[in-house]
Structure formats: C-alpha cells, structure tokens
Amino acid sequence: MTGSERLLVVEDEPTLRELLSASLRLAGFAVVPVETGAQALAAVRERRPDLIVLDVMLPDFDGFEVVRRLREQRSSAPPGHPPVLFLTARDAPEDRIGGLRAGGDDYLTKPFNLEELVLRIRAILRRTSGRPVDGRLVVGTLELDPDSHQVTRGGHPVQLSPTEFSLLRVLMENAGRVLSKAQLLELVWHYDFGGDDSIVASYISYLRRKVDQEDPKLIHTVRGTGYVLRRPRR
C-alpha cells in the first residue's frame, strides 16, 4: 500500500457518513463520500477508488445492486471493479453469504468498531493491491497473469473478483502443497486480528464454479487439512 489509497464511502446516513469519512482520513486514506448508489457508480468511473466502503441499504437501490452494475460497466474501469467492503445492519448468515456472492470482499455488521473497519480495509488492500509476482502462472490449462490481472482456463477468460483472484494466485503459487484454512486466511485475507475461516470454504466454492468447469478438476479438498491445487497428471 502507498499510504494514500482513495476510498469511496457510500452511506446515506449523514452523521455516519461524516464519522466514517473523518475517521478514515485520520487513518491516512483519501476519502470520497457519497450517499446513493447512482452517485457511487459515477464516482467509480470518475475517481477510480482503490476500495469501496458500501452500505447495503441505500435510498435508490441496495449495495448488492451497485456491485452488479459495476460488473456491467467494468469495461470502463479495467481490470474490474474495485474491492468492496459491505456495511450492513443485517447480521443473518444468509445476508453475509449473499454479500459475498454479490461480489463483496468482506462484510461488516453495524454497529462496528472503527478500528476493526480500518484493519479490514487495510487487509483487503494488502491482498488486492500488492506488488505482483513476476511471470505468468500456469497449471495445466489454467493460466494467471499477475500483471494484466487476467485468468484463462483452456484459453477462455475467467472473470474473478479481486479476492477470488488473490486466492487463486496463492493456490497456484503453492501448486501441489496443501494449505490449511488458517494459512489461507493469513496469505489471502491477512487477518492478523483473527478471522472467520468459513469465508475460506465459501471462496473455494466460488473458485471451483468458475475455474473447474472442465476436467481435470484442479482444486481439491484434503479432508481435515485444507485445500490444494494439483497439477493434472500427464
């Protein structure tokens, strides 16, 4: 991280929006505050934020719809939309899973601790904006180019969220090595304050749906141990 990352804060409640903006500026971030989904979409195009702090409940359309529309306009902001941290008053497991499936990179329930918010933001930025490794990673017909942020399987492009890309990159860099959930939390999510390891299983499932649509399957579960991306047998 450079220390001057630009955050887009999307929150319709004025007091909370001002509190978030002031706290994040004190933490060293540049902040662009907006209050609606439409304003958020325009700000992504015009200001190119490094991360979006996105309230789920907005006056025009919800945060999940914001992310869906960002996917549609990704051609104007390559290589995809910025990572997203959802803020919500909903704490049911299905809401959290829905946020992750919509394309969010993390999910924080209100009321939340501002220090934890800053830690989560920094963790996402570390895993999505770090310096890429040199060279393209290739495992069978699966290819990942860190420089262009592109993934293909069998020559066909695979669209991944920033966190899915980071997870796949770690698995490919460690091809043949079994990684535990704790190791993946550290390597991908950088949760040095502790994290819910169920998020690992969720993202492994998302990756399989996108990467392992053809045989041979590359991502495997090692029961009781973790996950491994195995090179196909010749």
Side-chain angles (χ1 to χ4, degrees):
M1 293 183 292
T2 65
S4 59
E5 287 81 8
R6 181 182 292 115
L7 306 183
L8 175 62
V9 174
V10 189
E11 169 61 58
D12 67 314
E13 204 286 307
T15 302
L16 181 54
R17 184 172 66 251
E18 292 173 9
L19 176 62
L20 286 171
S21 299
S23 300
L24 293 172
R25 288 188 180 108
L26 283 174
F29 299 106
V31 178
V32 178
V34 300
E35 58 184 293
T36 69
Q39 290 173 353
L41 295 174
V44 170
R45 291 192 302 267
E46 297 166 6
R47 305 297 296 274
R48 299 294 176 90
D50 297 293
L51 181 141
I52 306 172
V53 179
L54 180 58
D55 187 22
V56 171
M57 300 302 293
L58 296 172
D60 47 359
F61 43 84
D62 66 28
F64 300 156
E65 179 63 20
V66 171
V67 174
R68 293 187 190 100
R69 297 191 187 192
L70 284 173
R71 286 175 177 169
E72 294 173 358
Q73 71 178 39
R74 68 171 46 190
S75 60
S76 65
H81 65 74
V84 174
L85 170 60
F86 280 120
L87 301 179
T88 180
R90 302 171 178 171
D91 59 358
E94 57 268 26
D95 292 319
R96 181 173 177 275
I97 296 299
L100 296 175
R101 285 180 175 170
D105 296 271
D106 208 342
Y107 194 94
L108 196 56
T109 304
K110 299 176 181 178
F112 51 83
N113 180 283
L114 287 169
E115 183 179 358
E116 180 180 1
L117 172 64
V118 171
L119 286 172
R120 298 259 189 131
I121 288 170
R122 287 177 174 160
I124 295 171
L125 289 171
R126 279 198 299 268
R127 70 177 182 258
T128 59
S129 61
R131 180 177 299 176
V133 297
D134 293 331
R136 181 174 303 211
L137 299 173
V138 180
V139 176
T141 61
L142 178 65
E143 296 189 16
L144 181 149
D145 188 333
D147 295 319
S148 65
H149 211 86
Q150 293 181 339
V151 174
T152 60
R153 179 81 195 265
H156 302 291
V158 179
Q159 300 294 333
L160 301 179
S161 72
T163 298
E164 290 167 347
F165 184 90
S166 297
L167 176 58
L168 180 61
R169 180 168 140 183
V170 166
L171 290 170
M172 293 182 72
E173 288 174 341
N174 293 274
R177 176 187 174 194
V178 179
L179 298 173
S180 67
K181 289 183 178 179
Q183 287 174 311
L184 289 170
L185 274 176
E186 174 60 27
L187 292 169
V188 178
W189 281 266
H190 301 280
Y191 277 359
D192 47 11
F193 57 88
D196 180 0
D197 64 10
S198 66
I199 196 172
V200 178
S202 295
Y203 270 90
I204 288 289
S205 176
Y206 305 154
L207 267 187
R208 280 178 169 148
R209 293 175 196 166
K210 296 181 178 182
V211 169
D212 272 348
Q213 291 185 350
E214 63 180 64
D215 292 324
K217 307 303 182 188
L218 301 177
I219 301 173
H220 302 271
T221 300
V222 180
R223 192 174 301 277
T225 305
Y227 304 96
V228 59
L229 190 145
R230 292 197 175 110
R231 298 184 184 279
R233 295 178 181 178
R234 296 183 179 180

